[in-house]
Amino acid sequence: MPAPASGLASFELADVRYDVPGRAILGPVSLRLTPGRVYGLVGPNGSGKSTLMRLIARDLAASAGEVRFSGRPIGAWADRAFARKVAFMPQFTPASDGLNVRELVALGRYPWHGMLGRFTPADAAKVEDALARTALDGLAERAVDTLSGGERQRAWLALMLAQDPEWLLLDEPTSALDIAHQEEMLKLVRGLSHERGLAVVVVLHDINLAARYCDEIVALGRGAVVAHAAAGEIMQPDLLSAIYGLPMGVFAHPVSGTPIGYIA
C-alpha cells in the first residue's frame, strides 16, 4: 500500500453525540480516521453505524461535541470545497431517471466546475478514467435504471471517482448485492484505495467481509465505539461476542489464513 501523501485530511470526532427527541442515537464518540486506510464500520442493527457515517459526510449535524475535518470544524467547510475532498454514497442512492451511465458519472465533476462552469477536456478525461476503472466503459450509454444492482453500484462508485476526492464514504454499498457482487465491489474499493492512496470508510453488516477487505475496523454497539483496531485484532471470540451479544468463535480460512468469525 502506498504511504499517504503529506497534507491529506483526517477526520477527528471529539465527544460527538447525535440525539433525537427522547432518544440518544449515538455517542459520545471520540475517534480519529487518518488518510490512506480502509475503515470498516460494523456492529448490530441500530448500533449507530449509518448515523456516524452521515455525521462525517455532513448529512447530519451533531447534537453535541465536534466533528473536524483537516483540522477545521466540519460545518465551516463550503459545500463544493468539502465535496472536492469527500465523496459520499448514501445507503439509498437518489433516483437517476433519464440519465445514462456517462451522464451520471459526469455529475461527479460538479464540485470542480459548478453549475455554470464549462465542462472541460480535463473533466471529460476524469469521467472516462472513472468509467474504465470501474469496468463501465462498455455500458456508458446505457440508462442507469436498466442496470443490474451490481452495475448500478459501480456506476455510483464511478461518479465518486470522477469527483477526484481524498475520501470515499460508502454506507452499506453491498446490502442489496449477492455474494459475488459483494466481493467484486469490496475488492474494487480496496484496490482503488491502495492504488490511489484513497481513504475509505464503509459500513458493512458482514464482519468477515470487513476483516478481509478493511485495514481497520471500528465496531459500534448501542451508539458507542466498542472497539477500534486492526482487522486481525478485532477477530477474537471474546471481542466479537461483546460486539454482537452472541457467543462467537473464530477459525482461520484454510487457504488465505484470514480469520473467519462464526456464531458458536
Side-chain angles (χ1 to χ4, degrees):
M1 181 190 349
S6 61
L8 296 184
S10 297
F11 282 99
E12 296 178 358
L13 289 78
D15 296 322
V16 169
R17 298 183 60 93
Y18 183 76
D19 304 323
V20 296
R23 185 183 172 200
I25 303 295
L26 183 76
V29 168
S30 295
L31 188 65
R32 180 177 171 84
L33 304 172
T34 57
R37 309 286 286 167
V38 179
Y39 294 93
L41 297 185
V42 305
N45 288 344
S47 60
K49 302 183 299 295
S50 289
T51 300
L52 176 56
M53 176 69 82
R54 292 176 67 190
L55 286 168
I56 65 175
R58 301 204 325 168
D59 198 40
L60 292 175
S63 303
E66 186 174 57
V67 182
R68 299 180 71 85
F69 180 66
S70 193
R72 297 166 56 193
I74 200 167
W77 283 80
D79 289 345
R80 282 176 57 193
F82 188 74
R84 290 180 179 183
K85 298 283 188 179
V86 180
F88 174 46
M89 182 192 293
Q91 187 174 347
F92 303 104
T93 53
S96 50
D97 298 344
L99 295 177
N100 66 30
V101 173
R102 179 176 281 109
E103 290 167 338
L104 176 69
V105 175
L107 295 178
R109 297 306 299 162
Y110 172 78
W112 297 93
H113 60 66
M115 184 68 71
L116 301 178
R118 187 170 65 89
F119 192 82
T120 68
D123 292 318
K126 292 287 186 182
V127 170
E128 296 307 314
D129 179 67
L131 289 168
R133 190 61 188 84
T134 53
L136 287 170
D137 33 3
L139 299 176
E141 305 306 321
R142 279 270 301 274
V144 175
D145 58 9
T146 68
L147 300 177
S148 69
E151 291 167 343
R152 190 175 297 113
Q153 290 294 75
R154 280 192 286 132
W156 282 96
L157 180 59
L159 181 156
M160 298 170 77
L161 293 180
Q163 201 169 320
D164 203 19
E166 296 176 9
W167 286 80
L168 301 178
L169 308 182
L170 308 167
D171 192 356
E172 298 191 33
T174 63
S175 61
L177 304 181
D178 61 38
I179 189 169
H181 286 101
Q182 290 177 15
E183 293 278 342
E184 178 185 68
M185 169 64 75
L186 293 176
K187 185 176 181 180
L188 175 58
V189 168
R190 182 173 175 85
L192 289 166
S193 171
H194 289 186
E195 290 168 17
R196 301 188 179 194
L198 290 172
V200 179
V201 185
V202 55
V203 173
L204 295 170
H205 281 293
D206 189 328
I207 187 65
N208 293 316
L209 283 176
R212 182 169 180 175
Y213 289 105
C214 298
D215 300 309
E216 297 182 28
I217 291 176
V218 179
L220 298 176
R222 298 183 180 180
V225 175
V226 177
H228 175 199
E233 296 176 25
I234 295 287
M235 299 299 288
Q236 307 294 330
D238 56 346
L239 194 47
L240 293 181
S241 296
I243 294 168
Y244 291 103
L246 294 168
M248 300 285 289
V250 176
F251 67 92
H253 189 284
V255 176
S256 68
T258 301
I260 305 293
Y262 63 93
I263 300 174

